[in-house]
Amino acid sequence: MKKLWIFLVVASLLISCNTGNNERVLSEANGRINNLLIVMKNSEWQGEIGDELRKIIAEPVLGLPQPEAQFEVSQVPLENFGSMFKSSRSILQIGIADKNSFKTATDVYASPQKIIAITGKNKEELIHQIQENSATIISEFKNSDLRAVRRKILKEYWKPSTIETFNKQGYSLKIPRNYSKVEDTGDFVWYRYHLFGGNSMELISYTVPITSEDDENGNNIVVIRDAIGEKYIPGEIEGSYMITEEAYTPHIFEVTLDGKKAFETRGKWEIKGVFMAGPFLSYTVVDKANNRLVIVEGFTYAPSINKRDYMFELEAILKTLKIN
């Protein structure tokens, strides 16, 4: 009977997402980005099923100086899943029921909200469902949070037409109005958001011509990045400038951005000759039509504090790239 009850709760949750959605007025979802509420039995959370979930959701974010998990996690049993919890931004509901199922739903109890419901006929099949859908679990919650961040920070942004580099080079990025211009040469643009205590979030962008297959295949990303750092991003002392940290090999993945082949690079930057460093995230887009690479990058200077959420905000901005 308990299994049937769990399945009916999940089914009604998913049905509610698809009926009368346009007519309902939803409250605003609560909870910070990269926070995940897991609804499942305490005994299952503390056992093998919970262990399998933790392997996925506690995976550290790549490219950060200190390990930080992808999500901050809270767990409640189904009987305590009341109205306060139902307004959470990201909800993962897990349980044993009469069938194997993996379902996603959007804006069920609040907005913006993403809910994933997973059921299995027994412990082994439930674990298999979690393993089989691990990449989807991460991408669904991450993409939902990225949309929520953009909705919040891009209510006001600098019109791309007011930025010389974007006009001259024929592409654009939505940069929030609370970022201030550091440099805009027509070939290189740099904006900064001042955090507390001298910390900052930085956005830079530029283009370079494609000169070889290595450029197109992402083999020269670090070389190009270091050349730009030497030319445009000086350090505090004479002769110092930004480079890719030599002791840490960046993680590079082929992705798609603005419908084009691109490379996502996550790594660490440092100032050559100065004790100053932090994480960076860049996207190198292969713009074959114009025989060039379009590069957008965000990096953070915030020593001694967690930087996951800062880098996540920068990712949300970088993914607004549009090439004319």
Side-chain angles (χ1 to χ4, degrees):
M1 188 67 183
K2 272 188 177 180
K3 290 184 180 181
L4 178 60
W5 176 63
I6 291 173
F7 176 70
L8 289 174
V9 170
V10 174
S12 64
L13 180 155
L14 294 167
I15 291 169
S16 70
C17 178
N18 295 307
T19 57
N21 192 46
N22 294 330
E23 299 173 5
R24 293 180 297 130
V25 177
L26 297 171
S27 61
E28 185 170 352
N30 60 46
R32 298 177 57 198
I33 61 169
N34 299 316
N35 275 242
L36 180 59
L37 175 67
I38 296 181
V39 183
M40 64 187 297
K41 292 171 65 173
N42 292 338
S43 58
E44 292 173 348
W45 173 244
Q46 293 159 7
E48 291 180 50
I49 299 171
D51 290 342
E52 197 59 43
L53 278 173
R54 280 183 283 275
K55 290 178 187 177
I56 300 166
I57 59 181
E59 186 77 16
V61 178
L62 295 175
L64 298 182
Q66 297 85 29
E68 294 184 59
Q70 296 184 82
F71 299 102
E72 301 298 326
V73 175
S74 302
Q75 177 265 331
V76 295
L78 188 60
E79 58 267 24
N80 293 342
F81 185 50
S83 57
M84 181 181 72
F85 291 119
K86 287 180 179 179
S87 294
S88 299
R89 186 189 306 279
S90 301
I91 300 171
L92 176 59
Q93 189 162 349
I94 305 285
I96 294 174
D98 291 339
K99 61 181 278 188
N100 297 331
S101 176
F102 180 91
K103 301 290 184 181
T104 65
T106 302
D107 297 349
V108 179
Y109 305 112
S111 179
Q113 183 182 63
K114 177 63 68 175
I115 298 179
I116 295 178
I118 309 175
T119 62
K121 289 187 286 187
N122 52 51
K123 181 182 72 176
E124 290 73 21
E125 295 197 32
L126 181 52
I127 288 174
H128 177 72
Q129 285 288 310
I130 293 168
Q131 293 171 335
E132 190 175 56
N133 294 285
S134 60
T136 304
I137 293 169
I138 299 301
S139 63
E140 285 284 342
F141 285 126
K142 179 176 177 178
N143 289 334
S144 178
D145 273 349
L146 286 170
R147 287 190 293 270
V149 169
R150 280 193 287 268
R151 174 175 165 178
K152 177 182 178 181
I153 67 174
L154 293 177
K155 290 178 180 177
E156 294 187 5
Y157 58 89
W158 295 104
K159 290 184 178 180
S161 60
T162 65
I163 297 174
E164 184 181 352
T165 298
F166 295 160
N167 278 327
K168 180 179 176 182
Q169 302 299 331
Y171 69 96
S172 65
L173 199 64
K174 290 182 179 178
I175 301 176
R177 294 281 296 192
N178 55 2
Y179 284 67
S180 55
K181 182 172 68 176
V182 178
E183 193 163 5
D184 180 16
T185 68
D187 297 309
F188 175 84
V189 64
W190 181 1
Y191 273 71
R192 171 180 294 144
Y193 176 47
H194 291 279
L195 300 167
F196 59 91
N199 299 329
S200 66
M201 298 163 64
E202 316 276 345
L203 288 164
I204 62 172
S205 185
Y206 52 93
T207 66
V208 294
I210 295 173
T211 60
S212 68
E213 286 188 10
D214 280 338
D215 289 344
E216 288 187 48
N217 294 328
N219 297 327
N220 290 332
I221 288 173
V222 171
V223 173
I224 293 169
R225 186 180 184 280
D226 290 350
I228 291 295
E230 182 174 8
K231 184 175 182 179
Y232 290 110
I233 308 177
E236 295 178 346
I237 64 173
E238 183 86 22
S240 65
Y241 54 89
M242 176 181 281
I243 60 171
T244 307
E245 185 174 304
E246 295 175 331
Y248 182 92
T249 302
H251 300 272
I252 301 175
F253 309 92
E254 185 172 329
V255 296
T256 300
L257 187 58
D258 192 32
K260 299 174 178 61
K261 174 182 173 180
F263 296 94
E264 176 182 288
T265 306
R266 294 180 180 270
K268 300 174 188 176
W269 60 269
E270 63 182 353
I271 301 297
K272 191 175 182 67
V274 177
F275 188 68
M276 191 175 183
F280 77 87
L281 166 65
S282 75
Y283 290 95
T284 302
V285 182
V286 181
D287 182 15
K288 288 281 288 183
N290 296 296
N291 193 44
R292 64 180 181 173
L293 303 176
V294 178
I295 299 161
V296 291
E297 178 176 321
F299 59 96
T300 300
Y301 178 67
S304 303
I305 61 174
N306 289 338
K307 290 168 269 293
R308 178 195 63 193
D309 291 351
Y310 295 144
M311 296 306 297
F312 195 81
E313 178 175 315
L314 290 170
E315 179 179 351
I317 297 169
L318 297 177
K319 286 184 173 177
T320 66
L321 173 69
K322 295 295 180 186
I323 299 174
N324 297 343

